[in-house]
Every structure is written in structure tokens, then in C-alpha cells.
């Protein structure tokens, strides 16, 4: 009988955790003002976009990173002034630590000044990406 | 403009294969747990061998993936896109670790260890099958962080 309960418990746990992740993943969250920090081209090793920059943290073992990469490249190609920088998280554990990246993909959306304004954890959704972008472009950094 | 610092992919798989495999894995593990450390042992061994083949030899040697290619794939439309084989292969390696711990639990007569490890493997397999979500892959980055800075306290975030 023990086994049946363990199986039921495991399935409930999986469904609850998966459902919870499904709801929150891929949404753009505004970075709280107190925590907003700043990244520049020198640290990223790549030029920032004039309007905004997607800094994506990826891992080799991460499948949703590929879909996110494709989506962000597409968006960055469509609009001028956008840059998309995809970082292999393993190689930049300094940034992973500094920005509290707990899993991949995580995308930081930087404004024209390199300040982190939004954060998307999990496979990014297009509507969320465009929504966050709109906020940045219509409300440029001071 | 877009830049990528990750290396190009060497091996590609139909993403439905690993997911199908995760569904079979879930069923095998669930049955093994229900049967318990005694009667469930053959199933646990079968699953351990399957994980080992996928992790050590590659996904093309994983028996469930093989089954998928032989029976299901010819009947399905070709996949819209192929996926890097490394994430699902890594997931097999994580599964292997849990399966080995569960086996150890049987060998040293610790049923709790068997149930705990097999139960966690079932959670991971079910997440993969139902949500296409790879728990092991998430642990990868955490493992890297902890591995590099063992003494550092993790930042709030």
C-alpha cells in the first residue's frame, strides 16, 4: 500500500509544481527599483542596443533556451535599436551570481542605459516580450 | 542583431521521442514503486538499464527512444523541428543517479531510500511527460553555481 501512496504523492507534486511553473513562466516581471542594476558593453562583451537589449542566460542542457533564443532574435531583427545577447550561463557565473539567475532561460531586458528593467524566467512568451519592450521604448530611462 | 556564445549542436533528435520515453519511464517507475522494493526490483533494474543506455551511450541507444522510432514515428508527421540531444541526454543521466540510489536502497534493505529516490525520479519523469519540463536541466545550473563557489551563500533572488 505504501507504494500506491508514494506514486499518488509524486504525481500530485509533479502536477502542482508543473502547473505553478506553467502559470508564471515566460512572463515579464518589472525589476524592482531597489534591485535595478546596470550592465555595460564591457562586461557583456557585446554592444548594447540603442533602444533596449535582451541579455539571455542559456545552458547547453536547456531546450527552452533554443525557442527563447529564436523568439528574441526574431524580435531583435524586426525592430531597429534592439540587441540580443545570448550568454552561456556556465561561462559567466559572475553575472549569474550578481543577477541571481537561478535557472535557464532567464532574460534580462535592459533599457538604453543598460539598466535592468524587466526579467523573464522560463521560456519567454512573445506577447510578454513585446509588452515589456513597449514600456521601455515609450518610457525611456531617465 | 543577435549573438550566440553557445556552440553549434552536434546531435539532433525529434523532441517527441524523449517525451514519449518520459511517459514510459513514468509508468515503469510507478509500477516499480507500487510493487515495492521486492517485486518491483526487475522493473527498477529495467529502468536503470534504460537510463544508463541513454546517458552513457546516447539517445539512439535508449530503448524507449528506439521503440518510439520503430513504432510511432513512422506513423506520425515529421517533426516541425529537431531538438538538441544534450538536454534530454543530461536528463537521462540525472534519472540514472536517482535509479542507482533507489537500487542501493534495495541492496542495503532501506525501503525508505528506495521509495524516496524512485519517487523523486517519478516526479521528474512525470514533469517531463506532462509539461515537457526538464527538472534535471534546471539543477544543472544550480550544480554549477554550487560547484564553483561552495562556501558562498546564495544571493536572494
Amino acid at each position: 500500500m505504501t507504494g500506491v501512496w508514494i506514486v499518488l504523492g509524486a504525481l500530485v507534486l509533479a502536477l502542482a509544481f508543473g502547473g505553478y511553473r506553467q502559470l508564471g513562466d515566460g512572463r515579464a516581471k518589472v525589476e524592482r527599483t531597489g534591485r535595478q542594476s546596470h550592465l555595460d558593453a564591457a562586461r557583456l562583451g557585446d554592444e548594447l542596443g540603442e533602444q533596449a537589449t535582451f541579455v539571455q542566460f542559456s545552458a547547453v542542457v536547456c531546450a527552452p533556451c533554443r525557442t527563447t533564443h529564436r523568439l528574441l532574435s526574431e524580435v531583435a531583427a524586426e525592430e531597429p535599436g534592439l540587441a540580443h545577447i545570448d550568454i552561456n550561463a556556465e561561462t559567466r557565473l559572475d553575472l549569474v551570481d550578481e543577477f541571481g539567475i537561478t535557472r535557464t532561460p532567464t532574460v534580462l531586458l535592459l533599457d538604453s542605459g543598460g539598466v535592468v528593467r524587466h526579467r523573464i524566467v522560463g521560456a519567454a512568451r512573445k506577447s510578454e516580450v513585446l509588452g515589456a519592450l513597449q514600456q521601455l521604448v515609450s518610457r525611456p530611462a531617465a | 542583431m543577435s549573438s550566440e556564445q553557445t556552440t553549434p549542436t552536434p546531435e539532433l533528435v525529434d523532441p517527441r521521442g524523449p517525451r514519449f520515453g518520459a511517459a514510459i519511464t513514468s509508468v515503469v517507475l510507478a509500477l516499480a514503486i507500487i510493487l515495492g522494493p521486492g517485486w518491483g526490483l526487475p522493473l527498477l533494474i529495467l529502468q536503470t538499464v534504460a537510463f544508463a543506455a541513454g546517458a552513457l551511450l546516447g539517445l539512439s541507444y535508449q530503448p524507449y527512444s528506439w521503440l518510439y522510432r520503430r513504432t510511432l514515428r513512422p506513423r506520425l508527421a515529421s517533426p516541425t523541428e529537431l531538438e538538441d540531444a544534450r538536454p534530454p541526454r543530461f536528463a537521462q543521466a540525472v534519472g540514472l543517479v536517482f535509479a542507482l540510489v533507489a537500487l542501493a536502497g534495495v541492496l542495503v534493505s532501506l525501503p525508505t531510500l528506495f521509495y524516496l529516490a524512485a519517487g523523486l525520479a517519478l516526479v521528474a519523469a512525470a514533469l517531463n511527460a506532462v509539461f515537457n519540463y526538464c527538472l534535471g536541466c534546471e539543477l544543472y545550473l544550480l550544480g554549477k553555481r554550487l560547484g564553483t563557489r561552495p562556501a558562498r551563500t546564495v544571493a536572494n533572488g
Side-chain angles (χ1 to χ4, degrees):
Chain A
M1 217 32 217
T2 326
V4 178
W5 287 114
I6 303 252
V7 167
L8 284 177
L11 292 180
V12 167
L13 194 64
L15 288 177
F17 182 75
Y20 170 73
R21 277 291 166 83
Q22 201 88 335
L23 286 176
D25 267 16
R27 292 192 190 279
K29 298 206 176 87
V30 177
E31 196 84 339
R32 265 179 293 143
T33 333
R35 271 181 57 191
Q36 281 180 356
S37 36
H38 161 269
L39 268 169
D40 54 30
R43 287 203 68 195
L44 286 169
D46 221 325
E47 287 304 313
L48 297 184
E50 276 166 44
Q51 301 266 7
T53 307
F54 300 113
V55 178
Q56 178 183 344
F57 289 86
S58 300
V60 179
V61 297
C62 156
C65 292
R66 315 213 124 250
T67 37
T68 301
H69 179 89
R70 206 172 315 127
L71 168 68
L72 296 181
S73 309
E74 245 174 58
V75 173
E78 273 167 22
E79 287 186 58
L82 295 185
H84 173 212
I85 302 171
D86 194 345
I87 294 174
N88 182 355
E90 280 177 60
T91 64
R92 293 305 303 269
L93 291 174
D94 57 326
L95 293 179
V96 165
D97 263 351
E98 188 177 329
F99 290 90
I101 310 292
T102 50
R103 58 192 178 108
T104 54
T106 291
V107 176
L108 304 176
L109 178 53
L110 315 187
D111 62 19
S112 52
V115 176
V116 181
R117 302 287 291 270
H118 293 265
R119 179 184 290 246
I120 305 177
V121 180
R125 308 178 194 191
K126 188 165 189 180
S127 56
E128 293 281 324
V129 170
L130 296 179
L133 212 49
Q134 213 159 26
Q135 285 184 42
L136 281 199
V137 177
S138 63
R139 186 160 53 86
Chain B
M1 187 184 84
S2 179
S3 66
E4 186 169 27
Q5 292 172 13
T6 46
T7 45
T9 62
E11 193 196 349
L12 295 170
V13 288
D14 178 350
R16 295 168 299 184
R19 208 164 167 185
F20 170 80
I24 298 195
T25 300
S26 306
V27 173
V28 171
L29 284 172
L31 287 176
I33 295 171
I34 289 173
L35 291 172
W39 293 103
L41 185 60
L43 284 172
L44 179 61
I45 292 174
L46 164 76
Q47 187 54 53
T48 310
V49 170
F51 278 144
L56 305 175
L57 302 174
L59 288 182
S60 36
Y61 296 93
Q62 214 280 356
Y64 310 155
S65 293
W66 182 84
L67 195 66
Y68 168 79
R69 286 198 309 278
R70 286 299 295 269
T71 60
L72 275 173
R73 182 153 179 190
R75 294 154 203 268
L76 300 173
S78 51
T80 44
E81 59 172 312
L82 294 175
E83 187 183 85
D84 191 336
R86 283 172 292 185
R89 189 169 171 177
F90 181 74
Q92 293 286 306
V94 175
L96 177 61
V97 172
F98 280 108
L100 287 174
V101 172
L103 268 184
V106 178
L107 292 179
V108 300
S109 305
L110 272 178
T112 316
L113 191 62
F114 162 83
Y115 283 121
L116 189 70
L120 286 174
L122 175 59
V123 170
L127 274 171
N128 200 338
V130 179
F131 297 100
N132 204 15
Y133 178 80
C134 176
L135 192 62
C137 302
E138 192 161 300
L139 296 175
Y140 183 77
L141 183 62
L142 289 178
K144 283 277 171 191
R145 290 181 70 177
L146 294 176
T148 333
R149 309 191 176 198
R152 193 183 186 286
T153 43
V154 180
N156 297 328

